[in-house]
Amino acid sequence: MSSTDNSANGAQRLCDALLESGVDTCFANPGTSEMHFVGALDARPRMRCILGLAEGVVTGAADGYGRMADRPAATLLHLGPGLANGLSNLHNARRARTPLVNVVGEHATDHLALDPPLASDIDSLAAPMSNWVRRAVPGGDVGHDAAEAVAAARDTPGIATLVLPADVAWSPAPGGPLPAAAPPAADAPAGDRLAAAARAIAAGPGTLLLLGGRALRAAPALLAQRLAAATGAGVLAETFNARIERGTGRAPIAKLPYPVALSTEVLPRYERIVLIGAERPVAFFAYPGKPGLLYPEGCEIVPLVDPGSEALPALEALAERLALGDVPAAAPAPEPPPDDAPLTPDIAAGLVARHLPEDAVVVDESVTSGRAFFAESMAGPRHDYLQLTGGSIGIGLPLSAGAAVACPGRRVVTLQADGSAMYSLQALWTQARERLDVTTVIFSNRSYAILKGEMANVGLENYGDAAARMMSLDDPALDWCALARGHGVEAARAATAGQLGDLLRQSFRQGGPFLIEACLG
């Protein structure tokens, strides 16, 4: 506990309580109703304040920060419309189970009753993306509210949203000791789950260990791979994951394929699936004549570790019961292409994997173009790999900014589809203003390429100009170098393998953000 004086207003007490609970970074896009909170932040240099020029940048950056720091950042959003603008990336953060505290400004309590133009039902907007929602009230202790928000964000883990009316922010706050979020309780593996999982794994080749969440950190993933190696069981990661620790010396775990046709070829070989921080595997979308559940009828689902929970204690307990095998070596990357080879999606993704600096953070929103990266980087330098988790595109550039804030000294490398990058282009400005060490590779195919595949998946293979124009970005073509420079980010264009390799090396040698437009043939 620390103390504060009786002259503090609600905004100041809220800021002090966040700091007391370990939240020292705030991604913000404030408005009029949040000015007292801005004033409180200004007077507290321990709180790093980072401006995003759109609310989706703010929420996406807080997601990237939380994934890498393993503790929440705060956001500051302006009323219901500001929250609504940030909901898309809050959806991704919720699916990633990222710890995050939203502070959403609200009209003063008396003024809200007048139904001013910006009034809205903030609580209802926040609820679908939040695990915890509370509205601070006049006369209450907003410091206590803040401590509970941090605890809820950290312990679930997930999103906590605190609505801050302007009169609570500007009014005198209760004095006295500041509350701090209590430390999270340790996860203990349940005995009946351990016994069932041990039986399933010991049964051998008909069992799959499906990993997600914190099971994909280096130590638990390695234990899961060794358990599988000893028994002949299979091991896979979920298709979309918040963070995987990968590279030399770590478990070379493949992902369950995204296409339904491929995943339904993989899973029928298994009679049992042990869920370790993962959800049961379901298709991302419904397709005519294709299954929603990706595993076969009669396959036994054995839950061991709930999504969002620590996986290491359960896997260590299993290791005491079962034998451990040797981890297989990852396949080496293929030979590099000649320097004059024109860039294809696979060549570009492979070159990023080949040139990756040690201890990088990779953010992958390449959607279709970067699929070769995951396999080719498995035996490469150690790195953390962050994905689009909720399917709501537009997170790559903000996620990279937040990860870079959380990990100073580590290079962030972004694999970014051109179409989804346009959803949150303003994140480049934040990268430039904060001098963040981010290399962004734009896979410039000038189209929403994934939609072409989805048209075929639903049986629409022959279509005309009207549909084609909905998937094309080449009339006019986006000029990514001009767009980046306009936001203060150095940029260059590559059309061959040699040019892309040279630009990657150049970007890694210098500080600050750098964007490479990889022009795909």
Side-chain angles (χ1 to χ4, degrees):
M1 294 256 187
S2 69
S3 61
T4 187
D5 63 67
N6 291 328
S7 64
N9 63 28
Q12 293 165 337
R13 185 165 176 85
L14 169 58
C15 191
D16 289 336
L18 289 172
L19 287 166
E20 186 72 13
S21 293
V23 177
D24 59 9
T25 303
C26 181
F27 298 94
N29 187 277
T32 304
S33 54
E34 294 81 49
M35 290 297 95
H36 284 83
F37 193 67
V38 171
L41 295 171
D42 183 56
R44 285 153 178 78
R46 285 175 53 206
M47 181 71 77
R48 182 177 181 182
C49 303
I50 297 170
L51 178 63
L53 299 185
E55 291 87 347
V57 173
V58 169
T59 54
D63 183 4
Y65 180 95
R67 293 195 203 187
M68 292 308 302
D70 284 328
R71 59 190 177 92
T75 70
L76 181 58
L77 304 171
H78 182 41
L79 301 170
L83 172 63
N85 284 338
L87 285 178
S88 177
N89 279 335
L90 287 177
H91 164 79
N92 290 320
R94 184 178 73 86
R95 287 291 181 176
R97 295 181 176 83
T98 300
L100 191 158
V101 176
N102 288 318
V103 178
V104 183
E106 173 63 291
H107 289 291
T109 308
D110 290 345
H111 192 65
L112 188 61
L114 304 177
D115 193 27
L118 273 172
S120 63
D121 186 351
I122 297 175
D123 304 65
S124 294
L125 285 170
M129 309 304 177
S130 305
N131 299 346
W132 181 98
V133 179
R134 179 174 297 173
R135 177 174 290 261
V137 296
D141 187 350
V142 70
H144 182 268
D145 295 334
E148 290 203 6
V150 175
R154 193 181 56 197
D155 298 349
T156 313
I159 299 168
T161 298
L162 178 61
V163 183
L164 180 66
D167 53 330
V168 174
W170 72 51
S171 298
L178 275 168
D187 293 314
D192 56 342
R193 286 192 172 191
L194 281 173
R199 287 193 298 270
I201 296 170
T207 298
L208 172 68
L209 310 186
L210 186 62
L211 310 188
R214 298 185 70 85
L216 290 166
R217 302 297 176 90
L222 197 62
L223 271 179
Q225 186 93 66
R226 294 186 67 191
L227 287 166
T231 60
V235 59
L236 287 171
E238 290 185 297
T239 307
F240 299 99
N241 300 279
R243 176 180 171 187
I244 310 177
E245 295 180 347
R246 317 174 66 240
T248 302
R250 293 173 173 172
I253 295 176
K255 294 186 294 180
L256 183 67
Y258 166 79
V260 172
L262 296 179
S263 58
T264 52
E265 288 178 5
V266 170
L267 293 180
R269 71 187 69 163
Y270 297 109
E271 302 168 12
R272 297 162 297 278
I273 300 176
V274 180
L275 301 178
I276 307 175
E279 303 275 7
R280 61 177 182 161
V282 301
F284 211 74
F285 296 106
Y287 299 103
K290 296 180 181 179
L293 293 175
L294 299 177
Y295 54 91
E297 185 177 354
C299 179
E300 181 186 4
I301 301 297
V302 183
L304 174 61
V305 177
D306 291 332
S309 297
E310 289 286 353
L312 187 59
L315 286 161
E316 287 176 334
L318 283 175
E320 294 177 359
R321 301 181 179 212
L322 301 170
L324 295 175
D326 294 327
V327 174
E335 289 298 311
D339 282 352
D340 61 354
L343 289 178
T344 65
D346 285 355
I347 286 176
L351 284 166
V352 177
R354 180 170 294 278
H355 289 89
L356 201 65
E358 188 70 37
D359 207 28
V361 179
V362 177
V363 172
D364 187 357
E365 196 186 26
S366 58
V367 188
T368 56
S369 297
R371 287 178 178 169
F373 173 85
F374 194 80
E376 294 198 22
S377 60
M378 199 170 285
R382 292 191 178 195
H383 62 278
D384 289 82
Y385 177 78
L386 280 57
Q387 290 180 270
L388 168 68
T389 47
S392 184
I393 62 174
I395 197 172
L397 301 179
L399 199 70
S400 300
V405 171
C407 301
R410 299 176 65 179
R411 193 75 191 179
V412 177
V413 180
T414 310
L415 311 179
Q416 182 63 61
D418 52 359
S420 54
M422 289 300 295
Y423 282 54
S424 51
L425 182 65
Q426 306 93 328
L428 292 175
W429 182 87
T430 299
Q431 293 179 13
R433 170 182 260 208
E434 300 295 325
R435 283 43 170 192
L436 301 178
D437 293 332
V438 180
T439 297
T440 300
V441 179
I442 297 287
F443 288 82
S444 184
N445 57 18
R446 297 162 297 283
S447 70
Y448 287 124
I450 193 169
L451 295 184
K452 297 176 182 178
E454 293 301 325
M455 288 287 276
N457 286 337
V458 299
L460 299 173
E461 299 195 31
N462 298 310
Y463 48 85
D465 289 344
R469 281 176 60 82
M470 298 294 286
M471 294 174 270
S472 169
L473 303 177
D474 62 358
D475 183 20
L478 296 168
D479 185 340
W480 276 100
C481 291
L483 290 167
R485 291 174 189 140
H487 287 78
V489 173
E490 186 177 351
R493 187 172 286 116
T496 67
Q499 290 170 349
L500 179 55
D502 288 344
L503 288 173
L504 286 167
R505 287 188 290 269
Q506 175 186 337
S507 77
F508 299 153
R509 286 194 299 266
Q510 64 189 57
F514 193 100
L515 183 142
I516 304 168
E517 181 179 5
C519 300
L520 305 180

